[in-house]
């Protein structure tokens, strides 16, 4: 792949995963959604993340979803699947599977069961994973989402990983919501892609040296986010950028009034006319009827 | 199995898992450890729990460890493996595998990636798991360890599960350290086994209607715990019970001075003369040299 970028930059959608009536992944609707996101202007698709309910799927289900995206014709360099799970051998297996499909950039949670792990332990885990994969094509985007993983990734660990494995750790998805952390990482690690995990923060982060975003609301407003990304530095388009950003912020606020993933799915069901989109796998649940009505009336 | 108890009562060890030089499970040393624990007086072995590093092992590694315990001759009704993982299909697969070996009582974490899940969502997850397993032999011990899973199991959810699936949910391992919660559960759900997750709390919990314990320090002091369990209600043995309980508390305190699992492994290495016992899989790490020296000198 001569056009594979060396590090992710742009707007990446943390794609939702549609489910069928048995709560299994709906591969047809998923392929359609991937094409929709690219057509809307996403630079790529960060499938199988938190928003994609990856941690509710088995290893086999995750692999099948990635295969569907590739078979549907999405260029492998546009696919950034999540492959980080609790057990190192399974993180290694999922990552090797992605590489076997030509998918070289993956988003990797730390092992997230044990809490209060030391920085040495966190470094050792990522090091063990990279050493076991042993593939020079591998490009890892770290996934910092302490409110969900409860295992933060400190800058000191990033520094050690960059030094120990040059060219392998290419960026971080920072979903902490802590803008000061994103700014500090962008400043401290030039050439390392700091990607905002919240849509409204992409624009300020781009101005602070960030590389783009991997976000949930881009399931709904990818075109606006892509416009902001491509034109934010053009003074002639300042008004249009501000207007697009305002729509991004409004969509994010709308989707955050009730449970976010259920809201995004309800809004996608409305957009596509496919009510099946509303399903989630437990412990996540669809919106209650009155929440759904309030959201979709808005 | 005519002697299968309908619900777990007694002292169950959250067994450590030894690793070989490549950090893979050492099956020979594991089988030996299982026999040691039974010989010391454990009523059973809660293998593949937090202390057993289960969440650092793949599905295949977990299944192989359980098979080793069965093949080593530990009676299946004495084995209480952990089978709860983040994705429902894999929890179902691990539990069915246990049932296929005649192991009917399992310890089940809730799906623990998504945080802040609703009680409806938590109930729906356990219900979906039990319905998919669809095996009347199944007996589930809920696993409440909010400091690690970050997904607590409230009494209201237990009540709903007991009502919806009579005979299936037979107990809870409460590792919260919150004795008031254990007492309240024992009072509210008679016939439901409330098992202390911390060794020193077994004795007071037995006096409050609890059923025993599933604990980490029992890797070291199973004989004392078993003595406390069997004799705590015998006034003639009050002094001996208090002495055994004091040794349990001392061992727990000693193992908690530094990282607990690494300490338990270092102490087991000392007991067995097998230094391989000190290994842990990242992100967990063995004790630093000076910690190890301080611990083992004590």
């Amino acid at each position: 792949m001569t056009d594979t970028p060396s590090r992710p930059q742009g707007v990446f959608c943390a794609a939702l995963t549609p489910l069928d009536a048995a709560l299994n992944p709906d591969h047809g609707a998923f392929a359609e959604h991937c094409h929709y996101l690219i057509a809307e202007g996403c630079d790529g698709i960060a499938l199988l993340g938190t928003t994609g309910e990856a941690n509710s799927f088995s290893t086999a289900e995750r692999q099948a979803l990635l295969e569907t995206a590739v078979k549907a014709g999405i260029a492998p360099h546009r696919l950034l699947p999540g492959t980080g799970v609790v057990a190192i051998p399974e993180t290694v297996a999922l990552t090797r599977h992605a590489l076997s499909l030509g998918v070289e950039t993956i988003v990797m949670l730390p092992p997230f069961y044990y809490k209060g792990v030391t920085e040495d332990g966190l470094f050792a885990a990522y090091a063990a994973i990279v050493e076991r994969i042993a593939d020079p094509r591998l490009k890892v985007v770290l996934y910092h989402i302490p409110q969900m993983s409860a295992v933060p990734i400190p800058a000191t660990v990033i520094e050690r990983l960059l030094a120990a494995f040059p060219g392998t750790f290419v960026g971080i998805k920072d979903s902490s919501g802590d803008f000061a952390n994103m700014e500090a990482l962008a400043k401290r690690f030039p050439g390392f892609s700091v990607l905002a995990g919240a849509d409204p923060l992409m624009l300020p982060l781009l101005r602070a040296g960030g590389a783009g975003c991997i976000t949930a609301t881009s399931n709904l407003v990818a075109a606006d986010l892509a416009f902001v990304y491509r034109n934010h530095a053009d003074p002639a388009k300042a008004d249009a950028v501000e207007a697009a950003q305002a729509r991004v912020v409004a969509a994010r606020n709308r989707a955050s009034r009730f449970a976010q993933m259920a809201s995004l799915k309800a809004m996608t069901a409305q957009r596509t006319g496919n009510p099946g989109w509303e399903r989630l796998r437990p412990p996540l649940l669809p919106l209650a009827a009155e929440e759904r009505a309030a959201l979709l009336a808005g």
Side-chain angles (χ1 to χ4, degrees), chain A:
Chain A
M1 305 267 315
T2 53
D3 63 342
T4 302
S6 60
R7 67 185 182 97
Q9 298 183 77
V11 172
F12 299 88
C13 180
L16 294 163
T17 310
L19 303 178
D20 67 18
L23 300 188
N24 294 320
D26 179 339
H27 287 262
F30 182 65
E32 212 172 280
H33 189 55
C34 289
H35 279 295
Y36 162 78
L37 294 170
I38 296 295
E40 285 286 291
C42 285
D43 295 287
I45 301 172
L47 66 168
L48 294 166
T50 300
T51 302
E53 295 173 71
N55 287 295
S56 296
F57 301 132
S58 67
T59 294
E61 288 175 324
R62 295 166 74 121
Q63 294 178 339
L65 280 163
L66 181 57
E67 287 169 17
T68 287
V70 172
K71 280 181 199 152
I74 310 297
H77 78 269
R78 292 192 189 277
L79 294 168
L80 278 68
T83 63
V85 293
V86 289
I88 289 176
E90 289 178 345
T91 296
V92 169
L94 283 166
T95 307
R96 279 192 181 146
H97 172 262
L99 288 162
S100 77
L101 299 173
V103 173
E104 301 181 353
T105 307
I106 56 80
V107 181
M108 199 183 281
L109 281 167
F112 56 83
Y113 180 68
Y114 295 101
K115 307 305 188 295
V117 298
T118 61
E119 294 196 5
D120 283 349
L122 186 57
F123 173 81
Y126 275 119
I129 291 164
V130 169
E131 285 163 2
R132 286 192 188 201
I133 293 168
D135 189 322
R137 295 175 299 168
L138 175 65
K139 289 181 272 294
V140 176
V141 175
L142 296 165
Y143 190 2
H144 176 60
I145 182 166
Q147 72 275 32
M148 205 60 87
S149 66
V151 180
I153 305 174
T156 41
V157 170
I158 299 171
E159 186 157 59
R160 289 173 65 183
L161 291 170
L162 289 172
F165 303 98
T168 300
F169 291 89
V170 296
I172 189 166
K173 175 183 180 188
D174 185 339
S175 295
S176 66
D178 176 357
F179 188 71
N181 188 59
M182 299 176 214
E183 261 188 312
L185 293 176
K187 190 172 173 190
R188 182 161 170 177
F189 304 117
F192 180 75
S193 288
V194 181
L195 300 156
D199 309 76
L201 298 180
M202 181 189 72
L203 178 57
L205 185 58
L206 288 171
R207 291 172 174 156
C213 70
I214 298 179
T215 59
T217 317
S218 55
N219 282 283
L220 304 171
V221 291
D224 284 324
L225 267 170
F227 185 85
V228 171
Y229 179 78
R230 290 192 186 106
N231 298 290
H232 72 98
D234 180 351
K237 292 189 174 154
D239 289 351
V241 165
E242 289 306 324
Q245 172 73 359
R247 287 191 295 271
V248 167
V249 172
R252 166 84 178 190
N253 290 344
R254 190 175 164 212
S256 303
R257 185 171 159 201
F258 305 114
Q260 193 190 44
M261 289 160 60
S263 297
L264 293 169
K265 283 195 148 180
M267 291 158 90
T268 302
Q270 188 180 46
R271 176 182 66 74
T272 58
N274 172 6
W277 261 108
E278 293 188 21
R279 301 182 188 109
L280 291 94
R281 198 176 264 187
L284 303 178
L285 294 176
L287 295 182
E290 61 279 14
E291 292 173 338
R292 185 179 166 280
L295 173 71
L296 299 183

